[in-house]
Amino acid sequence: MPTDPPSGSVKEEARIRALQRTGLLDSPPEEIFDCLTRLAAKTLGVPVALLSLVDSDRQFFKSQTGLPPEWAGKRETPLSYSFCQYVVASDQPLVVSNAHELPLVCDNLAVRDLNVTAYAGVPLMTADGRTLGSFCAIDVKPRNWTARDLEILHTLADQAMIEINLRLRLGELQDDLETFRHSIEKQTLVARQNVHDLRTPATAIMLGLEAVEAAGPLNKEQRQFLELAKANTHSLRILVNELLEADSSLTLETCSAMELVERALDQITPLADRARITITLNRVISRAVTLQADKDALVRVLVNLLANAIKFTPTGRGVTVEVEEAIDDPVIRFSVNDEGIGIAPQDLPQLFQDGGRLDHHASPEFSSGIGLAYCKRVVEAHGGRIDLRSRLGFGSSFSFVIPLAIETGAES
């Protein structure tokens, strides 16, 4: 049991970062945690039980039962009211039978204002050994805590940490996925640029060969070499063009428009949850409405647009997805609308070009800009079009239409 004031470990940067990565700070109550604090209060026969997360200057109650209404509504206190900070500082349980008699906490404001007299708290510790807070029980009268009491608290804390560690791992996987996606997009952009760069020398070689041919008579052997060089250069130009257009080829099949949206939402929802962005699905059409499309390509288009919307929307705001069948045109319109930072008018023309980025201040290492260019190529390869409306400071709306029937030479 700690006997000294909390050390600087409460403010340790790595611990604070781990706490922030959980996404639990300032988040609403959740039944998965509330049932644990209720169970603790009932099993131990105490008026108050808390799942307390200790930040650098406050403790936030992710779950609580039994606090007075004015404190239950705030769901946090300064550290001057915190016993849980000592659990974090020591990475050990804190057991207090009578706070009035213990120098460590007798002057704590929770004793005076919340009538905290007996306290038992155990660490909420991550898989890599960082204590995020305390799972604790509180009594308003002196109490001699038993080994069984602490065993119950440890068991409930372990249950809470199973869920918290899963969320931390999910966050790590999302980060890894984002890093991998950006890496692939960067490699793709570099490859496209390299292939594009081959066009100019290939054209120059062909012009040079034509100039040689026009310069004067050639003997038989020279003519043979010239024709061979022209044929190889022509083949090179065809290969370059095919490489540049390769990512626009489609594999068409009949699919439900709503299925495309649902698949995209399945992929993007964990990212939205982690960013605390609400995604709302509006103007839903019947699942019976189908179109001929490359399902994987269109799902990737939707995921790219949703990921951009989430990235540039502040926490607490929303993203709306709309799917509708046009009344006077045989097309399906898909829209992704955000309440984000918006896009400056001067940045709009370059967004759908290779290398164009929503944030022109972003590092190219993390913002390749190929995403929107890819979206444009896929939509146009389906015979559709993609549009953008944006107002700086108010948000953006990306929409694209896909014909119900596609006339294309793509393989099906």
Side-chain angles (χ1 to χ4, degrees), residues 259-261 263-264 267 294-304:
E259 177 191 349
L260 303 177
V261 176
R263 282 181 55 188
Q267 294 183 37
D294 187 318
K295 291 197 295 187
D296 291 338
L298 284 186
V299 168
R300 184 178 171 191
V301 168
L302 287 164
V303 168
N304 276 335

Side-chain angles (χ1 to χ4, degrees), residues 321-382:
V321 181
E322 298 179 353
V323 190
E324 54 187 333
E325 188 173 3
I327 298 176
D328 54 355
D329 199 5
V331 299
I332 301 296
R333 178 180 296 276
F334 302 82
S335 300
V336 175
N337 313 308
D338 65 60
E339 300 172 355
I341 61 177
I343 303 167
Q346 64 269 23
D347 292 336
L348 296 176
Q350 64 189 22
L351 286 182
F352 293 103
Q353 301 173 11
D354 282 340
R357 301 195 300 273
L358 287 176
D359 181 4
H360 61 277
H361 297 297
S363 166
E365 180 179 359
F366 298 102
S367 183
S368 69
I370 198 171
L372 291 177
Y374 171 84
C375 293
K376 184 174 186 290
R377 286 195 297 273
V378 168
V379 169
E380 291 180 349
H382 279 82

Side-chain angles (χ1 to χ4, degrees), residues 20-24 27-28 30 167 170-171 174 265-279 310 315-317:
Q20 292 170 341
R21 281 200 303 272
T22 66
L24 296 176
S27 63
E30 296 180 59
R167 296 187 187 193
L170 177 61
Q174 286 296 136
L265 290 176
D266 285 344
Q267 294 183 37
I268 209 69
T269 294
L271 180 63
D273 290 344
R274 182 166 167 261
R276 284 182 280 164
I277 302 294
T278 301
I279 299 181
I310 292 169
T315 297
R317 297 188 183 178

Side-chain angles (χ1 to χ4, degrees), residues 173-219:
L173 291 173
Q174 286 296 136
D175 289 341
D176 291 344
L177 179 61
E178 273 299 291
T179 300
F180 178 74
R181 186 174 70 86
H182 285 307
S183 174
I184 293 298
E185 290 183 349
K186 180 181 178 181
Q187 293 175 29
T188 303
L189 177 60
V190 170
R192 284 183 56 81
Q193 289 174 335
N194 289 340
V195 172
H196 189 277
D197 289 343
L198 291 174
R199 254 185 178 165
T200 299
T203 301
I205 292 171
M206 182 62 75
L207 291 175
L209 294 174
E210 291 174 352
V212 169
E213 186 177 25
L218 302 174
N219 60 38

Side-chain angles (χ1 to χ4, degrees), residues 30-51 63-66 135-138 143 145 148-160:
E30 296 180 59
E31 180 61 22
I32 193 170
F33 298 115
D34 289 347
C35 68
L36 297 177
T37 53
R38 290 197 302 267
L39 182 59
K42 184 175 181 179
T43 304
L44 298 177
V46 294
V48 177
L50 306 172
L51 193 163
S63 178
Q64 65 81 29
T65 184
F135 192 93
C136 62
I138 295 171
R143 173 171 177 152
W145 302 95
R148 178 179 177 276
D149 293 338
L150 290 180
E151 182 181 357
I152 290 171
L153 287 174
H154 276 295
T155 300
L156 295 175
D158 289 343
Q159 289 299 310

